[in-house]
Amino acid sequence: MNSPRPYSPVPGPGQSLTERRKAATQLDIARAACALFAEHGPDGTTAEDIARRAGVALRTFYRYFRSKQDAVAPLLAGGGDEWRALLAAEEPGVALGPAIERAVRGALSLPGGEEGLEWTRGLLRAAEEDPALRAVWFRVNQESEDRLVPVLARLAGEDADPLDVRLLAAAATDAIRVALEVWAATDAPVAGPGSPAETAVRCLRTLTASMPLVTGA
């Protein structure tokens, strides 16, 4: 299998060349970790192995990551970066339910994204037997939820209840997390029935069905 699709973090305004190079190095290390985990499993992979595969010094590895499991965080976080960027492109006052669904479908159905989803499936399966890798997955989702709050707050408007915004951010994040976990445990395809996009929308509708920011109540 080839190296996973590079989920580049959404660049911030005025990102410097140094910051872009740092992000590129992190992704190189993340792809190397992913490849080695697929070949040998987390237990059979060391930080030294990952650094060697990525072509960096071991001290460079530890400059960016605390552990071998932590090295895959940029890849696991990339999907969240993409869907938040799609949502952030919506105009304030938009109907939030459909807007969130559009962003989720768009991020999980990007052309060329099939390989990245398959690598995510492999990492989530490995996480079942590796508590440290599972902790990275949960941390990535918590960080994604935190970053989603201001995006939703802007779209919902100044009059929106901050609690409602926070609850919607939690529900949307968990909808994607649960969908990916359920999908990863199966051999369902990356597109069509049972895919991450379809499952995520189903979870989203169930979790947000009675939320004021979605229903308008």
Side-chain angles (χ1 to χ4, degrees), residues 12-58:
Q15 190 180 51
S16 69
L17 178 60
T18 298
E19 290 169 331
R20 291 198 297 272
R21 286 175 174 170
K22 176 181 177 180
T25 300
Q26 289 176 317
L27 286 170
D28 285 342
I29 295 172
R31 290 194 291 270
C34 249
L36 287 168
F37 286 177
E39 294 169 14
H40 308 291
D43 287 344
T45 301
T46 66
E48 289 87 346
D49 295 332
I50 297 170
R52 190 179 306 113
R53 176 71 66 92
V56 300
L58 184 59

mmCIF file of all heavy atoms in Angstrom, residues 12-58:
data_model
loop_
_atom_site.group_PDB
_atom_site.id
_atom_site.type_symbol
_atom_site.label_atom_id
_atom_site.label_comp_id
_atom_site.label_asym_id
_atom_site.label_seq_id
_atom_site.Cartn_x
_atom_site.Cartn_y
_atom_site.Cartn_z
ATOM 1 N N GLY A 12 -3.147 28.832 8.255
ATOM 2 C CA GLY A 12 -3.689 30.049 8.832
ATOM 3 C C GLY A 12 -3.255 31.257 8.037
ATOM 4 O O GLY A 12 -2.331 31.186 7.222
ATOM 5 N N PRO A 13 -3.904 32.386 8.256
ATOM 6 C CA PRO A 13 -3.543 33.599 7.527
ATOM 7 C C PRO A 13 -2.116 34.017 7.869
ATOM 8 O O PRO A 13 -1.718 34.043 9.028
ATOM 9 C CB PRO A 13 -4.574 34.628 8.013
ATOM 10 C CG PRO A 13 -5.065 34.101 9.323
ATOM 11 C CD PRO A 13 -5.009 32.609 9.203
ATOM 12 N N GLY A 14 -1.349 34.329 6.824
ATOM 13 C CA GLY A 14 0.004 34.789 7.050
ATOM 14 C C GLY A 14 0.952 33.725 7.582
ATOM 15 O O GLY A 14 1.949 34.063 8.220
ATOM 16 N N GLN A 15 0.655 32.468 7.323
ATOM 17 C CA GLN A 15 1.525 31.399 7.818
ATOM 18 C C GLN A 15 2.911 31.555 7.199
ATOM 19 O O GLN A 15 3.044 31.698 5.981
ATOM 20 C CB GLN A 15 0.941 30.028 7.472
ATOM 21 C CG GLN A 15 1.668 28.880 8.170
ATOM 22 C CD GLN A 15 1.064 27.537 7.822
ATOM 23 O OE1 GLN A 15 0.884 27.231 6.654
ATOM 24 N NE2 GLN A 15 0.736 26.760 8.819
ATOM 25 N N SER A 16 3.938 31.514 8.032
ATOM 26 C CA SER A 16 5.295 31.744 7.556
ATOM 27 C C SER A 16 5.859 30.509 6.875
ATOM 28 O O SER A 16 5.324 29.405 7.006
ATOM 29 C CB SER A 16 6.202 32.112 8.741
ATOM 30 O OG SER A 16 6.380 30.981 9.590
ATOM 31 N N LEU A 17 6.943 30.707 6.144
ATOM 32 C CA LEU A 17 7.621 29.590 5.480
ATOM 33 C C LEU A 17 8.091 28.574 6.511
ATOM 34 O O LEU A 17 7.997 27.358 6.291
ATOM 35 C CB LEU A 17 8.808 30.117 4.672
ATOM 36 C CG LEU A 17 9.656 29.058 3.950
ATOM 37 C CD1 LEU A 17 8.806 28.274 2.966
ATOM 38 C CD2 LEU A 17 10.837 29.725 3.242
ATOM 39 N N THR A 18 8.580 29.061 7.646
ATOM 40 C CA THR A 18 9.024 28.149 8.702
ATOM 41 C C THR A 18 7.880 27.290 9.212
ATOM 42 O O THR A 18 8.043 26.084 9.423
ATOM 43 C CB THR A 18 9.627 28.948 9.878
ATOM 44 O OG1 THR A 18 10.772 29.676 9.416
ATOM 45 C CG2 THR A 18 10.040 28.020 11.015
ATOM 46 N N GLU A 19 6.708 27.899 9.380
ATOM 47 C CA GLU A 19 5.545 27.141 9.854
ATOM 48 C C GLU A 19 5.094 26.117 8.824
ATOM 49 O O GLU A 19 4.704 24.999 9.176
ATOM 50 C CB GLU A 19 4.409 28.109 10.188
ATOM 51 C CG GLU A 19 4.667 28.946 11.427
ATOM 52 C CD GLU A 19 3.662 30.077 11.582
ATOM 53 O OE1 GLU A 19 3.142 30.556 10.559
ATOM 54 O OE2 GLU A 19 3.407 30.476 12.733
ATOM 55 N N ARG A 20 5.155 26.482 7.538
ATOM 56 C CA ARG A 20 4.787 25.529 6.488
ATOM 57 C C ARG A 20 5.758 24.359 6.441
ATOM 58 O O ARG A 20 5.361 23.206 6.255
ATOM 59 C CB ARG A 20 4.733 26.235 5.128
ATOM 60 C CG ARG A 20 3.580 27.229 4.998
ATOM 61 C CD ARG A 20 3.294 27.583 3.546
ATOM 62 N NE ARG A 20 4.434 28.244 2.914
ATOM 63 C CZ ARG A 20 4.637 29.560 2.935
ATOM 64 N NH1 ARG A 20 3.792 30.354 3.577
ATOM 65 N NH2 ARG A 20 5.679 30.094 2.307
ATOM 66 N N ARG A 21 7.032 24.646 6.616
ATOM 67 C CA ARG A 21 8.032 23.574 6.625
ATOM 68 C C ARG A 21 7.843 22.660 7.842
ATOM 69 O O ARG A 21 7.994 21.434 7.735
ATOM 70 C CB ARG A 21 9.441 24.176 6.631
ATOM 71 C CG ARG A 21 9.858 24.759 5.293
ATOM 72 C CD ARG A 21 11.207 25.437 5.382
ATOM 73 N NE ARG A 21 11.673 25.886 4.071
ATOM 74 C CZ ARG A 21 12.726 26.682 3.892
ATOM 75 N NH1 ARG A 21 13.411 27.134 4.949
ATOM 76 N NH2 ARG A 21 13.084 27.035 2.665
ATOM 77 N N LYS A 22 7.532 23.249 8.957
ATOM 78 C CA LYS A 22 7.281 22.457 10.166
ATOM 79 C C LYS A 22 6.103 21.523 9.949
ATOM 80 O O LYS A 22 6.167 20.326 10.284
ATOM 81 C CB LYS A 22 7.008 23.389 11.348
ATOM 82 C CG LYS A 22 6.646 22.666 12.635
ATOM 83 C CD LYS A 22 6.370 23.652 13.759
ATOM 84 C CE LYS A 22 5.931 22.933 15.019
ATOM 85 N NZ LYS A 22 5.650 23.862 16.136
ATOM 86 N N ALA A 23 5.011 22.047 9.368
ATOM 87 C CA ALA A 23 3.834 21.225 9.103
ATOM 88 C C ALA A 23 4.164 20.102 8.128
ATOM 89 O O ALA A 23 3.700 18.968 8.282
ATOM 90 C CB ALA A 23 2.707 22.086 8.556
ATOM 91 N N ALA A 24 4.979 20.407 7.108
ATOM 92 C CA ALA A 24 5.349 19.390 6.126
ATOM 93 C C ALA A 24 6.172 18.283 6.777
ATOM 94 O O ALA A 24 5.976 17.096 6.487
ATOM 95 C CB ALA A 24 6.131 20.033 4.986
ATOM 96 N N THR A 25 7.090 18.657 7.667
ATOM 97 C CA THR A 25 7.900 17.651 8.371
ATOM 98 C C THR A 25 7.025 16.783 9.263
ATOM 99 O O THR A 25 7.196 15.559 9.317
ATOM 100 C CB THR A 25 8.990 18.341 9.212
ATOM 101 O OG1 THR A 25 9.840 19.097 8.352
ATOM 102 C CG2 THR A 25 9.822 17.308 9.963
ATOM 103 N N GLN A 26 6.088 17.399 9.963
ATOM 104 C CA GLN A 26 5.177 16.633 10.808
ATOM 105 C C GLN A 26 4.382 15.613 9.989
ATOM 106 O O GLN A 26 4.200 14.469 10.411
ATOM 107 C CB GLN A 26 4.213 17.579 11.536
ATOM 108 C CG GLN A 26 4.878 18.395 12.625
ATOM 109 C CD GLN A 26 3.922 19.385 13.248
ATOM 110 O OE1 GLN A 26 3.148 20.045 12.544
ATOM 111 N NE2 GLN A 26 3.964 19.516 14.554
ATOM 112 N N LEU A 27 3.935 16.020 8.818
ATOM 113 C CA LEU A 27 3.166 15.109 7.973
ATOM 114 C C LEU A 27 4.042 13.986 7.421
ATOM 115 O O LEU A 27 3.599 12.842 7.296
ATOM 116 C CB LEU A 27 2.503 15.878 6.834
ATOM 117 C CG LEU A 27 1.298 16.717 7.248
ATOM 118 C CD1 LEU A 27 0.860 17.615 6.105
ATOM 119 C CD2 LEU A 27 0.146 15.824 7.693
ATOM 120 N N ASP A 28 5.291 14.296 7.092
ATOM 121 C CA ASP A 28 6.211 13.243 6.638
ATOM 122 C C ASP A 28 6.389 12.201 7.732
ATOM 123 O O ASP A 28 6.375 10.985 7.466
ATOM 124 C CB ASP A 28 7.572 13.845 6.282
ATOM 125 C CG ASP A 28 7.550 14.596 4.965
ATOM 126 O OD1 ASP A 28 6.610 14.381 4.174
ATOM 127 O OD2 ASP A 28 8.472 15.402 4.722
ATOM 128 N N ILE A 29 6.562 12.660 8.961
ATOM 129 C CA ILE A 29 6.733 11.735 10.089
ATOM 130 C C ILE A 29 5.444 10.951 10.316
ATOM 131 O O ILE A 29 5.481 9.737 10.568
ATOM 132 C CB ILE A 29 7.139 12.514 11.353
ATOM 133 C CG1 ILE A 29 8.515 13.156 11.168
ATOM 134 C CG2 ILE A 29 7.141 11.591 12.579
ATOM 135 C CD1 ILE A 29 8.910 14.108 12.285
ATOM 136 N N ALA A 30 4.312 11.622 10.228
ATOM 137 C CA ALA A 30 3.019 10.960 10.430
ATOM 138 C C ALA A 30 2.795 9.862 9.390
ATOM 139 O O ALA A 30 2.330 8.767 9.712
ATOM 140 C CB ALA A 30 1.890 11.977 10.382
ATOM 141 N N ARG A 31 3.117 10.144 8.127
ATOM 142 C CA ARG A 31 2.944 9.137 7.087
ATOM 143 C C ARG A 31 3.869 7.950 7.318
ATOM 144 O O ARG A 31 3.482 6.793 7.111
ATOM 145 C CB ARG A 31 3.187 9.765 5.707
ATOM 146 C CG ARG A 31 2.091 10.731 5.286
ATOM 147 C CD ARG A 31 2.178 11.070 3.813
ATOM 148 N NE ARG A 31 3.349 11.884 3.494
ATOM 149 C CZ ARG A 31 3.351 13.217 3.505
ATOM 150 N NH1 ARG A 31 2.257 13.878 3.844
ATOM 151 N NH2 ARG A 31 4.437 13.873 3.187
ATOM 152 N N ALA A 32 5.090 8.230 7.766
ATOM 153 C CA ALA A 32 6.023 7.137 8.063
ATOM 154 C C ALA A 32 5.499 6.273 9.204
ATOM 155 O O ALA A 32 5.565 5.039 9.155
ATOM 156 C CB ALA A 32 7.400 7.711 8.419
ATOM 157 N N ALA A 33 4.962 6.918 10.244
ATOM 158 C CA ALA A 33 4.407 6.169 11.377
ATOM 159 C C ALA A 33 3.241 5.299 10.929
ATOM 160 O O ALA A 33 3.125 4.133 11.316
ATOM 161 C CB ALA A 33 3.964 7.131 12.478
ATOM 162 N N CYS A 34 2.370 5.882 10.112
ATOM 163 C CA CYS A 34 1.218 5.140 9.610
ATOM 164 C C CYS A 34 1.665 3.901 8.837
ATOM 165 O O CYS A 34 1.103 2.805 9.004
ATOM 166 C CB CYS A 34 0.406 6.040 8.688
ATOM 167 S SG CYS A 34 -1.187 6.506 9.360
ATOM 168 N N ALA A 35 2.623 4.080 7.957
ATOM 169 C CA ALA A 35 3.100 2.965 7.134
ATOM 170 C C ALA A 35 3.691 1.859 8.005
ATOM 171 O O ALA A 35 3.426 0.666 7.794
ATOM 172 C CB ALA A 35 4.128 3.468 6.132
ATOM 173 N N LEU A 36 4.471 2.238 8.997
ATOM 174 C CA LEU A 36 5.114 1.245 9.861
ATOM 175 C C LEU A 36 4.098 0.558 10.762
ATOM 176 O O LEU A 36 4.213 -0.646 11.021
ATOM 177 C CB LEU A 36 6.216 1.912 10.686
ATOM 178 C CG LEU A 36 7.475 2.276 9.887
ATOM 179 C CD1 LEU A 36 8.381 3.194 10.696
ATOM 180 C CD2 LEU A 36 8.245 1.023 9.471
ATOM 181 N N PHE A 37 3.112 1.295 11.246
ATOM 182 C CA PHE A 37 2.068 0.667 12.056
ATOM 183 C C PHE A 37 1.320 -0.374 11.226
ATOM 184 O O PHE A 37 0.945 -1.437 11.727
ATOM 185 C CB PHE A 37 1.088 1.710 12.583
ATOM 186 C CG PHE A 37 1.626 2.564 13.704
ATOM 187 C CD1 PHE A 37 0.863 3.588 14.232
ATOM 188 C CD2 PHE A 37 2.891 2.357 14.235
ATOM 189 C CE1 PHE A 37 1.335 4.384 15.277
ATOM 190 C CE2 PHE A 37 3.376 3.145 15.268
ATOM 191 C CZ PHE A 37 2.597 4.162 15.780
ATOM 192 N N ALA A 38 1.089 -0.062 9.947
ATOM 193 C CA ALA A 38 0.392 -1.009 9.078
ATOM 194 C C ALA A 38 1.235 -2.254 8.836
ATOM 195 O O ALA A 38 0.722 -3.368 8.747
ATOM 196 C CB ALA A 38 0.044 -0.344 7.743
ATOM 197 N N GLU A 39 2.543 -2.070 8.740
ATOM 198 C CA GLU A 39 3.438 -3.192 8.444
ATOM 199 C C GLU A 39 3.749 -4.038 9.673
ATOM 200 O O GLU A 39 3.802 -5.267 9.595
ATOM 201 C CB GLU A 39 4.753 -2.654 7.859
ATOM 202 C CG GLU A 39 4.608 -1.997 6.498
ATOM 203 C CD GLU A 39 5.864 -1.245 6.083
ATOM 204 O OE1 GLU A 39 6.927 -1.455 6.726
ATOM 205 O OE2 GLU A 39 5.792 -0.444 5.134
ATOM 206 N N HIS A 40 3.963 -3.377 10.816
ATOM 207 C CA HIS A 40 4.471 -4.090 11.997
ATOM 208 C C HIS A 40 3.606 -3.915 13.246
ATOM 209 O O HIS A 40 3.888 -4.548 14.270
ATOM 210 C CB HIS A 40 5.895 -3.613 12.316
ATOM 211 C CG HIS A 40 6.822 -3.662 11.155
ATOM 212 N ND1 HIS A 40 7.254 -4.847 10.594
ATOM 213 C CD2 HIS A 40 7.399 -2.671 10.422
ATOM 214 C CE1 HIS A 40 8.072 -4.591 9.580
ATOM 215 N NE2 HIS A 40 8.163 -3.280 9.452
ATOM 216 N N GLY A 41 2.587 -3.064 13.180
ATOM 217 C CA GLY A 41 1.790 -2.780 14.353
ATOM 218 C C GLY A 41 2.507 -1.806 15.265
ATOM 219 O O GLY A 41 3.734 -1.669 15.194
ATOM 220 N N PRO A 42 1.769 -1.113 16.143
ATOM 221 C CA PRO A 42 2.416 -0.173 17.064
ATOM 222 C C PRO A 42 3.462 -0.845 17.951
ATOM 223 O O PRO A 42 4.520 -0.258 18.209
ATOM 224 C CB PRO A 42 1.242 0.370 17.898
ATOM 225 C CG PRO A 42 0.065 0.228 16.999
ATOM 226 C CD PRO A 42 0.298 -1.045 16.239
ATOM 227 N N ASP A 43 3.183 -2.064 18.411
ATOM 228 C CA ASP A 43 4.133 -2.745 19.293
ATOM 229 C C ASP A 43 5.431 -3.080 18.580
ATOM 230 O O ASP A 43 6.493 -3.153 19.213
ATOM 231 C CB ASP A 43 3.516 -4.028 19.860
ATOM 232 C CG ASP A 43 2.470 -3.746 20.922
ATOM 233 O OD1 ASP A 43 2.429 -2.612 21.425
ATOM 234 O OD2 ASP A 43 1.693 -4.664 21.240
ATOM 235 N N GLY A 44 5.361 -3.310 17.283
ATOM 236 C CA GLY A 44 6.549 -3.674 16.525
ATOM 237 C C GLY A 44 7.257 -2.493 15.890
ATOM 238 O O GLY A 44 8.160 -2.689 15.068
ATOM 239 N N THR A 45 6.867 -1.292 16.271
ATOM 240 C CA THR A 45 7.441 -0.076 15.700
ATOM 241 C C THR A 45 8.013 0.796 16.807
ATOM 242 O O THR A 45 7.394 0.950 17.861
ATOM 243 C CB THR A 45 6.357 0.725 14.943
ATOM 244 O OG1 THR A 45 5.814 -0.088 13.902
ATOM 245 C CG2 THR A 45 6.935 1.992 14.341
ATOM 246 N N THR A 46 9.185 1.343 16.585
ATOM 247 C CA THR A 46 9.790 2.257 17.552
ATOM 248 C C THR A 46 9.866 3.664 16.967
ATOM 249 O O THR A 46 9.733 3.856 15.752
ATOM 250 C CB THR A 46 11.221 1.810 17.925
ATOM 251 O OG1 THR A 46 12.066 1.920 16.753
ATOM 252 C CG2 THR A 46 11.231 0.372 18.421
ATOM 253 N N ALA A 47 10.095 4.619 17.837
ATOM 254 C CA ALA A 47 10.278 5.998 17.370
ATOM 255 C C ALA A 47 11.485 6.087 16.441
ATOM 256 O O ALA A 47 11.471 6.845 15.460
ATOM 257 C CB ALA A 47 10.456 6.934 18.568
ATOM 258 N N GLU A 48 12.515 5.300 16.728
ATOM 259 C CA GLU A 48 13.693 5.282 15.866
ATOM 260 C C GLU A 48 13.341 4.791 14.471
ATOM 261 O O GLU A 48 13.821 5.344 13.467
ATOM 262 C CB GLU A 48 14.777 4.381 16.477
ATOM 263 C CG GLU A 48 15.433 4.945 17.724
ATOM 264 C CD GLU A 48 14.665 4.577 19.005
ATOM 265 O OE1 GLU A 48 13.498 4.115 18.902
ATOM 266 O OE2 GLU A 48 15.243 4.768 20.089
ATOM 267 N N ASP A 49 12.483 3.771 14.401
ATOM 268 C CA ASP A 49 12.041 3.255 13.103
ATOM 269 C C ASP A 49 11.330 4.341 12.300
ATOM 270 O O ASP A 49 11.545 4.505 11.096
ATOM 271 C CB ASP A 49 11.091 2.071 13.282
ATOM 272 C CG ASP A 49 11.747 0.862 13.911
ATOM 273 O OD1 ASP A 49 12.974 0.685 13.750
ATOM 274 O OD2 ASP A 49 11.028 0.090 14.578
ATOM 275 N N ILE A 50 10.452 5.066 12.991
ATOM 276 C CA ILE A 50 9.667 6.105 12.319
ATOM 277 C C ILE A 50 10.576 7.223 11.826
ATOM 278 O O ILE A 50 10.442 7.691 10.684
ATOM 279 C CB ILE A 50 8.591 6.660 13.265
ATOM 280 C CG1 ILE A 50 7.597 5.557 13.655
ATOM 281 C CG2 ILE A 50 7.855 7.837 12.617
ATOM 282 C CD1 ILE A 50 6.639 5.946 14.758
ATOM 283 N N ALA A 51 11.495 7.667 12.662
ATOM 284 C CA ALA A 51 12.420 8.732 12.272
ATOM 285 C C ALA A 51 13.250 8.304 11.060
ATOM 286 O O ALA A 51 13.434 9.082 10.111
ATOM 287 C CB ALA A 51 13.329 9.095 13.441
ATOM 288 N N ARG A 52 13.709 7.060 11.071
ATOM 289 C CA ARG A 52 14.513 6.556 9.957
ATOM 290 C C ARG A 52 13.693 6.531 8.680
ATOM 291 O O ARG A 52 14.156 6.956 7.621
ATOM 292 C CB ARG A 52 15.035 5.161 10.291
ATOM 293 C CG ARG A 52 16.069 4.632 9.311
ATOM 294 C CD ARG A 52 16.564 3.257 9.708
ATOM 295 N NE ARG A 52 17.052 3.233 11.087
ATOM 296 C CZ ARG A 52 16.455 2.561 12.089
ATOM 297 N NH1 ARG A 52 15.351 1.866 11.863
ATOM 298 N NH2 ARG A 52 16.963 2.587 13.289
ATOM 299 N N ARG A 53 12.453 6.030 8.762
ATOM 300 C CA ARG A 53 11.597 5.968 7.573
ATOM 301 C C ARG A 53 11.292 7.374 7.042
ATOM 302 O O ARG A 53 11.207 7.577 5.832
ATOM 303 C CB ARG A 53 10.298 5.230 7.913
ATOM 304 C CG ARG A 53 9.262 5.182 6.793
ATOM 305 C CD ARG A 53 9.668 4.263 5.646
ATOM 306 N NE ARG A 53 9.717 2.870 6.042
ATOM 307 C CZ ARG A 53 8.700 2.008 5.933
ATOM 308 N NH1 ARG A 53 7.536 2.421 5.423
ATOM 309 N NH2 ARG A 53 8.835 0.745 6.295
ATOM 310 N N ALA A 54 11.114 8.332 7.951
ATOM 311 C CA ALA A 54 10.789 9.703 7.542
ATOM 312 C C ALA A 54 12.013 10.483 7.086
ATOM 313 O O ALA A 54 11.874 11.580 6.522
ATOM 314 C CB ALA A 54 10.110 10.437 8.692
ATOM 315 N N GLY A 55 13.213 9.940 7.344
ATOM 316 C CA GLY A 55 14.428 10.621 6.936
ATOM 317 C C GLY A 55 14.792 11.798 7.816
ATOM 318 O O GLY A 55 15.372 12.782 7.346
ATOM 319 N N VAL A 56 14.454 11.698 9.103
ATOM 320 C CA VAL A 56 14.796 12.773 10.037
ATOM 321 C C VAL A 56 15.563 12.180 11.216
ATOM 322 O O VAL A 56 15.532 10.970 11.453
ATOM 323 C CB VAL A 56 13.536 13.497 10.565
ATOM 324 C CG1 VAL A 56 12.759 14.109 9.405
ATOM 325 C CG2 VAL A 56 12.652 12.563 11.380
ATOM 326 N N ALA A 57 16.232 13.040 11.954
ATOM 327 C CA ALA A 57 16.938 12.605 13.154
ATOM 328 C C ALA A 57 15.933 12.285 14.253
ATOM 329 O O ALA A 57 14.829 12.839 14.279
ATOM 330 C CB ALA A 57 17.900 13.695 13.623
ATOM 331 N N LEU A 58 16.336 11.403 15.172
ATOM 332 C CA LEU A 58 15.449 11.039 16.274
ATOM 333 C C LEU A 58 15.100 12.272 17.118
ATOM 334 O O LEU A 58 13.961 12.422 17.564
ATOM 335 C CB LEU A 58 16.095 9.972 17.153
ATOM 336 C CG LEU A 58 15.235 9.422 18.294
ATOM 337 C CD1 LEU A 58 13.944 8.788 17.760
ATOM 338 C CD2 LEU A 58 16.030 8.405 19.115
#
